[in-house]
Amino acid sequence: MHNGSATTPLRVLIVEDSKDDAFLLLRELRKGGYHVEHERVYSLDAFDAALSEQSWDLIISDYRLPGFCALDVLAATHERELDIPVLIVSGAIGEDIAVEAMHAGAHDYIMKDNLARLNPAVERELNEMEVHRRRKQAEAALRESEEHFRQLAGNIEGVLWLIDCTEQHMVFVSAAYEQIWEQPAEPLFESLESFLDTVHPEDYARVQARLEENGWEGFNEEYRIQRLDGTERWISTRSFPIRDETGQVYRIAGLSSDITGRKRLENEMKKLSRALDQTADAVLITDRDGIIDYVNPAFEKITGYSRAEVLGNRPTFLKSGMHDEAFYRQLWQNLLHGMPFNDIFINRRKNGDLYYEAKTITPVRDERGDVTHFVATGKDITDSLRQKKREERVILHDEVTGLANRTLLMDRLTQAVLQARRAKTLAAVYAIGFDLSELLGEGHEDSLGEQLLLSITQRLREAVRESDAIARLERDEFAIVQRDVHGRENIRDLAERISAAFTAPIPSEGYELFVVPRIGICVYPDDAEDAEALLAKAGIAMKNARSPGQGNYCFYERNMRTAPGKGEATRFLSN
């Protein structure tokens, strides 16, 4: 039974000479839920006129009428090339006539004494017409899409092609085919087999096997072609199916690209790999996405990682966490502009040890200027940096905590003094000591010490501003440079924040360790005017912290004992 809304009209052209029979037809249609808009005709001239004057959803015709029959109605409808379903509703006629009517294009034949079949037939035909209408729209859209495809193909460097699955023949090949293959594309339209005629003899069997195994729909291969003049080109072909609204594959599209340049580079990389296997420097090669393609034996020896462990991965496993975002930002800024990047990297070996590497990373371009790979060469300079004082100053950060070391601290303190002198403000240096040896006790220093130092570092970082500099000077001694200070209240605030940062215990491998800092403070220009004196006097003030009448932080005063005692001031003056 029709479930449509009664507000949607059904336009029916009724070819019937009997008013009573027409009445019964209309009544049956209304019972089916249709709001019928109709016209009754009973001559061919009136039928032709009705077809010209209005569009119809359905034609219902008696078989025998005065001077003509339903076959004439069908012929007139077909002559006008109208997609209108025609139902014949008539009295008893022979089976041969009914068959003839169906062959002539009638969509159904219903007996007048069985009008219960009318509404199901109408609903079926209207649904089929809707499907037909949508198919025609889809076909029109496909033609438009294929035209867009052709326009797009003309602007793509590779070869776009299109195969009709029903006919199994090529329906489109872009002009780039003749540029890459250097021969006409016509043979492809005549037979798909002609494609194999262009494949290099050494690749022919492999390509033929792939086509037989997967067909064109699953053809994703890299292979060589041989041009008519005997020259070779490497081609990469990728195909994908195009489906209709029912999900059936009716087209196969593909893109064939000339990858000769890439293959040439790959061969050169293989040669380079064999040559670099003998170098003493670590060599690492990645693709443009940072995936490792190659490492040489020196890389394995320096890092402790085997080639099998690193190929296919990004080299992030070497990161030690000692470099900030600015370091990597500068690295990628250089590389993305096509320039090499040179610096000293603090990396971590597989066994966890830190090492220093003088490294150069160079982008590699193809003949078109596109970056395809990155080559990193590096020399392990850890031993030489430790052995030579001049090279030791190159390493400006503590290897355990990542904080500035004494060399960098003195540079930062000197800059803070110069800035304060120009701006007529204050600068402060804080000497901070922790008695870790007494806290940890014998036998625990190695297992807990590094973890504890990292926890202390984190709390110090949380207490200071970004513009303040933190340094680790000795195993359990740190220093902070505070610049742009406008009064001693700013200094006391920071000292209080540092003290407060250590009120809670530090968890470490099942222990809760209470670490209390001793803080000595020296202020420019009140206490000293150069970096070395400021740091030395901060060390003296640190010794006096937690002495009678002092808290755990103490400002330097001239009447303080200058004898270092237990080596505190000496260590702050050293180096």
Side-chain angles (χ1 to χ4, degrees):
M1 188 65 67
H2 175 64
N3 295 320
S5 171
T7 60
T8 302
L10 176 65
R11 295 165 297 183
V12 183
L13 179 57
I14 300 176
V15 187
E16 175 62 71
D17 59 336
S18 169
K19 289 184 178 181
D20 293 337
D21 288 349
F23 173 79
L24 293 174
L25 288 172
L26 293 171
R27 185 179 68 176
E28 189 67 24
L29 290 171
R30 293 186 181 108
K31 285 170 58 179
Y34 293 103
H35 183 190
V36 182
E37 177 185 343
H38 79 284
E39 181 177 345
R40 183 176 70 89
V41 298
Y42 43 89
S43 71
L44 278 178
D45 291 340
F47 178 73
D48 285 336
L51 290 178
S52 301
E53 293 170 0
Q54 188 175 344
S55 60
W56 303 97
D57 300 320
L58 182 66
I59 297 173
I60 300 178
S61 177
D62 195 358
Y63 185 80
R64 291 191 178 89
L65 297 110
F68 68 104
C69 69
L71 297 179
D72 299 311
V73 171
L74 289 167
T77 304
H78 295 161
E79 184 178 349
R80 290 174 175 266
E81 298 181 350
L82 298 174
D83 289 331
I84 305 174
V86 179
L87 302 180
I88 297 178
V89 181
S90 185
I93 61 174
E95 182 178 341
D96 292 343
I97 294 177
V99 172
E100 182 182 7
M102 298 299 287
H103 285 167
H107 291 72
D108 207 344
Y109 194 101
I110 300 171
M111 303 300 291
K112 287 186 176 180
D113 59 359
N114 189 19
L115 289 181
R117 289 189 59 239
L118 179 62
N119 281 321
V122 170
E123 184 172 2
R124 182 191 67 239
E125 294 305 322
L126 292 179
N127 288 339
E128 289 184 0
M129 285 303 297
E130 177 64 18
V131 171
H132 180 64
R133 183 186 64 81
R134 290 180 180 177
R135 183 177 294 114
K136 290 183 67 175
Q137 289 179 342
E139 290 173 353
L142 175 61
R143 287 192 295 271
E144 182 180 359
S145 176
E146 289 178 347
E147 177 58 30
H148 291 163
F149 181 84
R150 287 178 170 82
Q151 294 177 12
L152 175 65
N155 295 302
I156 292 180
E157 186 173 334
V159 179
L160 279 173
W161 47 264
L162 199 63
I163 293 175
D164 184 287
C165 296
T166 304
E167 301 295 334
Q168 281 297 303
H169 73 272
M170 191 77 70
V171 296
F172 175 79
V173 178
S174 66
Y177 176 85
E178 298 187 1
Q179 299 172 3
I180 296 175
W181 266 256
E182 291 189 351
Q183 58 183 321
E186 280 74 12
L188 295 176
F189 294 100
E190 297 172 4
S191 170
L192 290 177
E193 296 296 327
S194 64
F195 160 76
L196 287 171
D197 297 338
T198 68
V199 177
H200 193 281
E202 294 179 5
D203 295 342
Y204 185 95
R206 174 173 58 85
V207 172
Q208 184 182 42
R210 292 293 184 273
L211 285 172
E212 291 176 354
E213 180 181 354
N214 303 319
W216 285 98
E217 180 180 347
F219 187 63
N220 298 296
E221 286 294 320
E222 293 182 355
Y223 53 93
R224 289 169 294 173
I225 61 169
Q226 192 169 55
R227 292 169 168 172
L228 296 177
D229 62 1
T231 57
E232 301 174 3
R233 304 298 292 178
W234 271 97
I235 303 297
S236 172
T237 293
R238 297 291 180 266
S239 65
F240 54 92
I242 301 176
R243 304 180 185 274
D244 61 20
E245 66 274 9
T246 67
Q248 294 297 315
V249 177
Y250 72 101
R251 293 280 194 277
I252 297 173
L255 176 64
S256 297
S257 304
D258 186 341
I259 59 169
T260 306
R262 193 194 82 193
K263 284 293 185 180
R264 184 180 299 120
L265 179 61
E266 288 175 356
N267 290 332
E268 292 174 358
M269 292 290 286
K270 290 177 182 178
K271 296 176 184 178
L272 178 64
S273 174
R274 289 192 293 269
L276 294 180
D277 276 348
Q278 306 303 317
T279 184
D281 291 345
V283 179
L284 178 147
I285 301 174
T286 76
D287 64 16
R288 61 179 301 162
D289 296 320
I291 303 300
I292 298 174
D293 287 338
Y294 169 84
V295 294
N296 70 341
F299 174 92
E300 296 177 284
K301 181 179 179 181
I302 292 172
T303 67
Y305 289 96
S306 69
R307 182 175 302 184
E309 289 178 292
V310 303
L311 292 184
N313 297 312
R314 290 184 169 85
T316 52
F317 54 84
L318 295 175
K319 285 187 175 180
S320 63
M322 299 301 179
H323 298 290
D324 57 17
E325 292 183 3
F327 178 86
Y328 291 103
R329 188 162 51 246
Q330 183 63 49
L331 183 155
W332 283 109
Q333 182 178 343
N334 279 35
L335 297 182
L336 293 177
H337 283 82
M339 297 183 296
F341 180 79
N342 303 282
D343 211 322
I344 295 176
F345 284 70
I346 306 174
N347 287 334
R348 194 176 293 277
R349 307 184 205 272
K350 183 179 179 180
N351 64 6
D353 291 346
L354 295 172
Y355 71 98
Y356 294 85
E357 183 179 18
K359 179 179 288 189
T360 298
I361 305 176
T362 306
V364 178
R365 297 176 179 272
D366 60 17
E367 64 271 15
R368 295 179 300 184
D370 297 329
V371 174
T372 60
H373 293 77
F374 297 101
V375 177
T377 58
K379 183 184 294 292
D380 185 349
I381 60 171
T382 307
D383 292 339
S384 59
L385 286 176
R386 289 172 176 169
Q387 293 169 0
K388 299 177 183 179
K389 184 176 181 180
R390 180 183 62 82
E391 291 178 337
E392 184 176 354
R393 290 180 176 271
V394 176
I395 308 172
L396 298 177
H397 293 82
D398 175 62
E399 67 177 16
V400 175
T401 64
L403 297 176
N405 63 7
R406 180 182 300 273
T407 302
L408 183 56
L409 175 77
M410 295 304 293
D411 179 71
R412 298 280 172 83
L413 182 53
T414 299
Q415 291 180 24
V417 168
L418 292 174
Q419 178 183 341
R421 185 176 299 158
R422 288 193 299 267
K424 299 189 184 319
T425 56
L426 304 179
V429 59
Y430 300 70
I432 305 169
F434 299 89
D435 294 326
L436 298 187
S437 297
E438 295 180 11
L439 176 68
L440 297 177
E442 294 186 8
H444 293 285
E445 292 189 23
D446 291 336
S447 60
L448 297 178
E450 182 171 332
Q451 182 181 348
L452 184 57
L453 287 171
L454 292 173
S455 298
I456 290 172
T457 299
Q458 182 61 30
R459 294 197 181 188
L460 289 175
R461 281 175 169 159
E462 292 172 355
V464 303
R465 304 171 302 176
E466 282 190 21
S467 59
D468 300 332
I470 313 175
R472 181 184 175 216
L473 305 180
E474 298 291 343
R475 173 173 174 77
D476 54 2
E477 294 174 358
F478 297 78
I480 294 175
V481 174
Q482 184 184 24
R483 64 173 65 200
D484 193 26
V485 179
H486 295 279
R488 290 203 171 227
E489 279 304 313
N490 298 144
I491 301 172
R492 290 190 184 91
D493 287 344
L494 178 54
E496 293 288 351
R497 288 201 305 273
I498 296 171
S499 298
F502 294 92
T503 55
I506 296 177
S508 180
E509 296 189 7
Y511 295 93
E512 287 198 342
L513 305 177
F514 285 90
V515 179
V516 180
R518 290 193 295 164
I519 306 168
I521 307 168
C522 187
V523 181
Y524 168 88
D526 300 349
D527 303 323
E529 295 190 357
D530 65 82
E532 288 189 5
L534 286 166
L535 185 59
K537 291 179 178 179
I540 294 171
M542 182 191 73
K543 179 188 178 301
N544 284 268
R546 289 191 298 178
S547 63
Q550 302 286 351
N552 68 326
Y553 71 90
C554 177
F555 284 90
Y556 172 78
E557 295 178 0
R558 292 185 178 182
N559 61 355
M560 283 182 174
R561 290 186 301 115
T562 57
K566 294 188 179 179
E568 286 92 343
T570 302
R571 286 197 296 271
F572 276 89
L573 283 167
S574 65
N575 296 325

